[in-house]
Amino acid sequence: MTKQEQIRNNIDYREVYEHGFVGLTDVFGDDSTPCKTARISYGEGTKSVSDNRNLLRYLVRHKHTTPLEMVVLRFHLKLPIFVMRQHVRHRTAVMNEYSGRYSEMSDEFYVPTHEDISLQSTTNKQGRAEPLADLMEFESKEAAQMIFDACNKVAHQGYRDLLDLGVAREIARIPLGVGNYTECYWQINLHNFFHYSNLRRDSHAQKENRAFADPMFELVERRLPIACEAFNDYIFHAETFSRMEVAILKNFLSSMWVREDLITEEWQKQHGMTKRECSEFIDRLNIRKYQDA
Amino acid sequence: MTKQEQIRNNIDYREVYEHGFVGLTDVFGDDSTPCKTARISYGEGTKSVSDNRNLLRYLVRHKHTTPLEMVVLRFHLKLPIFVMRQHVRHRTAVMNEYSGRYSEMSDEFYVPTHEDISLQSTTNKQGRAEPLADLMEFESKEAAQMIFDACNKVAHQGYRDLLDLGVAREIARIPLGVGNYTECYWQINLHNFFHYSNLRRDSHAQKENRAFADPMFELVERRLPIACEAFNDYIFHAETFSRMEVAILKNFLSSMWVREDLITEEWQKQHGMTKRECSEFIDRLNIRKYQDA
Amino acid sequence: MTKQEQIRNNIDYREVYEHGFVGLTDVFGDDSTPCKTARISYGEGTKSVSDNRNLLRYLVRHKHTTPLEMVVLRFHLKLPIFVMRQHVRHRTAVMNEYSGRYSEMSDEFYVPTHEDISLQSTTNKQGRAEPLADLMEFESKEAAQMIFDACNKVAHQGYRDLLDLGVAREIARIPLGVGNYTECYWQINLHNFFHYSNLRRDSHAQKENRAFADPMFELVERRLPIACEAFNDYIFHAETFSRMEVAILKNFLSSMWVREDLITEEWQKQHGMTKRECSEFIDRLNIRKYQDA
Amino acid sequence: MTKQEQIRNNIDYREVYEHGFVGLTDVFGDDSTPCKTARISYGEGTKSVSDNRNLLRYLVRHKHTTPLEMVVLRFHLKLPIFVMRQHVRHRTAVMNEYSGRYSEMSDEFYVPTHEDISLQSTTNKQGRAEPLADLMEFESKEAAQMIFDACNKVAHQGYRDLLDLGVAREIARIPLGVGNYTECYWQINLHNFFHYSNLRRDSHAQKENRAFADPMFELVERRLPIACEAFNDYIFHAETFSRMEVAILKNFLSSMWVREDLITEEWQKQHGMTKRECSEFIDRLNIRKYQDA
């Protein structure tokens, strides 16, 4: 069985591209861990919170983040150097990376498929064109792939030749491109993983970053479904509106009247919100309430 | 005046290799800062420490590190990606790096000189041969340089060609080697800079890392001479001996007798040690003392 | 001039309660610092951002936080131990605190005024009653103050008596209450100060924490007015709505049509929003646009 | 069974004083974890390191600290506020503490026994007298205890009276002394736990801190015996000598000659040192070697 076949058969791993993978090798804690540790802070105060799901959602919603830091995730990743360079910016993670000083670098390089080769965006200085706006021709994409392959081949051959001359590994690796694959263990707590996910799964993140960040999140979701659902509801799919935007929203809604009990009941049913969430939402937007006569 | 000439004429910058540089653009505090902040902890307790030099050396010697964290250093660095990859591992630093997604990467690459091209060490798995053991022939070094140049040329040409095809910058940069130069602001507090210096100026660090770390330290030394002297005396040139080694040392010295007043006087004069340092040194090694009859 | 009079006359200090104060002793950088360091990331990409104000607001709005970490604030604080216990939870700050092991603790204690003595909230398990709901009688408040004074007096007398017996300071301080004043230097970067301000100036923070956090923010505002305005607009006075709430909002607004050019012009004038902010706001809420025929 | 009896019968807990305890509730990883993660860095380079014990000792000895950060320890602690105030200074730990805003504070206070009530040290400004120098009389110790008891009683009664008046918990707790017990979960990785242990188990740490730090270390030792032995050998019982002291040591030993093979054999047997450690030790001190003719 090849390495990639082993990956494919391991429920805690996901293949990414031709050579890469993400694996969640170890998890310290589960959905009950933040609840258990939070209860020490709240003492008797949490008696009324009857179950873990509610408490966990409350913690995420109110940004009580330390209990989430008690859960720790250890990943095994194989990814191109330019993606690794983004990972390592997350300074709260602990990392052990394959060393090109000790060991020989692989001959594996990331080469984007046609789908991933795009024009520079005309509206976004830091990204590529949106799929629909991507008018790049088939021939250009073919040409681009040939350039990638040629560069990688030359760089890898240069590396081998330098090693054959006896040059030290730490020097010989210098011509290798940032598409060369590397490998690491990467450990981070749940709170900071959510922060990472929020940034790297964002539509503005480089697509290749999302290609790794997305399956990492799926692996975590399998192990901590409630926490991840809360993250999606209160962080990832939430929207923040500025002071000015809130003023405009309030103005838009200033002519509204809601009958709080009816609308709350509807929202609870339709969206799974708590009664308190409904009530706070109405208050935050100054929506006028009336009660049935 | 070219960029490199400007660097050469700026007292707070140092050139490194053909294309790189290190600059110390801003310093928050000076040698008196750790003393001022430490005095709040010690209150009246520091009345007896008459001057800053003594207090600063005391703080470094006894690893009272928070006062050193009050001094902050901001660097401007231009260095190859593979050196940057080491810098970024120091997680207490704050960094803003040039972005290959927003802007075009330079055509500047690190190519080691003959002096810096060495054989793999036979004794040290992670490094290159010691200069004296470096038996690499002139012809091999020439051949190595030709390989570096060829790889860089191909990679850079590939990058230009991809850009000419309209490929987004964030993709086009992928073939560029880790010897390509990048640029950043890098900010770190003095305590963590000492930790960085201790690791990256060590003889086991990759030579190219030391080539940047050494002039960085010199720039800091100009601004915080007393703190840096204390670092050299108590950290960088200090030696740590294990429990077992200390036992052997004590055994070696077990037949010694010293007349404490005489030997202390000599050490104070010769090494600039305080009386207390002398006395503690004798005690730590269980050296027997006698007094003049 | 007493210590408190000196504080009163120092433009960088603010008195808090009878014995406490906050001071902003040193600032590393100003409103231009995040811009200068951000420009290295964006390279040519920021040419179009003509001025610092726009760039700074852009950075805060889009949570590009590393440039904000380049600004560092050093505070000198005198505050009760129970407030200090909250400060120290902000782990990114550097602190040097007065030491009760080295020096004698002060005889100064925080005693809440009538205004600050309130009933336990009936709705909020962790706080005191809202001012309007505070039905505590004058006599009860008087009684409470007498208890505070009596406890402090006994504790301080106990401390003095223990010192008189010769008991080591580190033990003698044990009976002193958490209202006893302590003093520290507290250094934090601007990004983390904003995080601190957002939590500790929140209406759910203990009132005594806000009493220190509010004037700290004012002192910073004097030195970094543009950054602080951006913080207020995009963080402190912003509102985050959950996935469910955004769905409801979109539903509320689903019958709306706006003429984008007119409404944008109005918002720009009235709220000082950029054209891009207006456009993104409309899109985020799926508000339907029409153009003049 | 009382809470303290449960503690006494739990192998992962240790009682401390009358009311306190330390517990190691969860451990992420074991002695093999740092080895497994380190091997990804070293790749083939670690083939020669045949077993985990050697590799782990190598990592600790050479301060390769990231693999140690992969092991995470979760403690449950009950300790006086003034000891907690030291714990919280370790900023790499994650903590959830009992909240005096949500819940009522306990009536348990730390009162030092006769053994722990000592005079102020005359030589060490921050500590108490050494046991042998502790000439405090029995009557004084009795008097001191009476003062502690009286202060605690008054403070606790004040607290109860304030609660009875209806005063909010967050205010009512203010008179309680720093000897009052609190409780927390405290999570830290192994590398930083070693740093904590090195500082807080040091003879200069306050005795009450050591009283908690020592059994915490014992609990960890049970779970990670090899890592803890390496910590003891290379960090806790190691000695660091300054540049000046190393010069003196070299001078002391300058008249020595050792026959390397014999002395190495002896040290390996007696101290369990590796051959390489022996050889490096001799070289670091410039000890002259000879070989048998």
Side-chain angles (χ1 to χ4, degrees), chain D residues 12 20 50 52 99 115 120 203 210 240 257 287 289:
Chain D
D12 287 316
S50 53
N52 281 354
S99 166
E115 190 193 13
Q120 176 71 31
S203 61
R210 281 178 277 153
T240 297
W257 284 88
I287 295 171
K289 301 171 277 193

Side-chain angles (χ1 to χ4, degrees), chain B residues 233 239-241 243 284, chain D residues 233 239-241 243 284:
Chain B
D233 286 347
E239 294 275 347
T240 298
F241 295 102
R243 177 185 63 74
R284 283 160 75 201
Chain D
D233 286 348
E239 293 275 349
T240 297
F241 294 101
R243 177 185 63 74
R284 282 161 75 201

Side-chain angles (χ1 to χ4, degrees), chain B residues 167-273:
Chain B
V167 170
R169 285 186 291 272
E170 67 180 13
I171 314 170
R173 66 171 164 167
I174 294 174
L176 293 170
V178 294
N180 193 204
Y181 272 86
T182 182
E183 210 172 316
C184 71
Y185 281 103
W186 193 73
Q187 185 167 305
I188 195 166
N189 70 44
L190 186 62
H191 165 59
N192 285 301
F193 177 72
F194 283 160
H195 184 66
Y196 162 86
S197 294
N198 204 31
L199 290 180
R200 300 300 170 196
R201 296 177 62 215
D202 186 89
S203 62
H204 290 86
Q206 183 162 352
K207 198 177 171 189
E208 282 79 11
N209 278 283
R210 280 178 278 153
F212 287 86
D214 284 338
M216 285 168 73
F217 186 79
E218 287 164 30
L219 290 170
V220 175
E221 219 168 9
R222 278 186 55 239
R223 305 287 283 266
L224 295 124
I226 302 174
C228 287
E229 187 196 19
F231 163 74
N232 276 328
D233 286 347
Y234 295 116
I235 301 176
F236 192 60
H237 295 303
E239 294 275 347
T240 298
F241 295 102
S242 69
R243 177 185 63 74
M244 299 79 82
E245 290 167 338
V246 171
I248 294 168
L249 271 177
K250 285 181 181 170
N251 186 39
F252 279 173
L253 302 174
S254 62
S255 57
M256 270 189 79
W257 283 87
V258 301
R259 188 167 143 203
E260 193 172 10
D261 55 343
L262 285 188
I263 211 163
T264 292
E265 204 174 304
E266 187 195 316
W267 293 347
Q268 286 182 290
K269 200 177 295 173
Q270 195 179 336
H271 297 295
M273 292 166 73

Side-chain angles (χ1 to χ4, degrees), chain C residues 11-16 20-27 73-80 83-84 86-88 90 93-95 184-190 192-198 200-201 208-225 228 231-232:
Chain C
I11 196 169
D12 287 316
Y13 277 73
R14 294 276 186 280
E15 285 183 286
V16 183
F21 60 74
V22 300
L24 179 61
T25 62
D26 301 274
V27 179
L73 310 163
R74 188 182 300 140
F75 293 96
H76 181 196
L77 308 172
K78 185 172 166 191
L79 66 196
V83 178
M84 176 69 94
Q86 290 300 326
H87 272 254
V88 81
H90 292 266
V94 178
M95 192 171 86
C184 71
Y185 280 103
W186 193 74
Q187 185 167 303
I188 195 166
N189 70 44
L190 186 62
N192 286 302
F193 177 72
F194 283 161
H195 184 66
Y196 161 86
S197 294
N198 204 31
R200 300 299 170 197
R201 296 178 62 216
E208 282 79 10
N209 278 284
R210 281 178 278 152
F212 287 86
D214 284 339
M216 286 167 72
F217 187 78
E218 287 163 31
L219 291 171
V220 174
E221 219 168 9
R222 278 185 57 238
R223 304 288 284 267
L224 294 125
C228 288
F231 163 74
N232 276 327

Side-chain angles (χ1 to χ4, degrees), chain B residues 112-132:
Chain B
T113 61
H114 276 216
E115 192 193 12
D116 289 328
I117 298 174
S118 306
L119 297 175
Q120 176 71 32
S121 168
T122 52
T123 56
N124 176 358
K125 283 187 182 298
Q126 74 164 322
R128 60 188 83 174
E130 293 295 313
L132 291 178

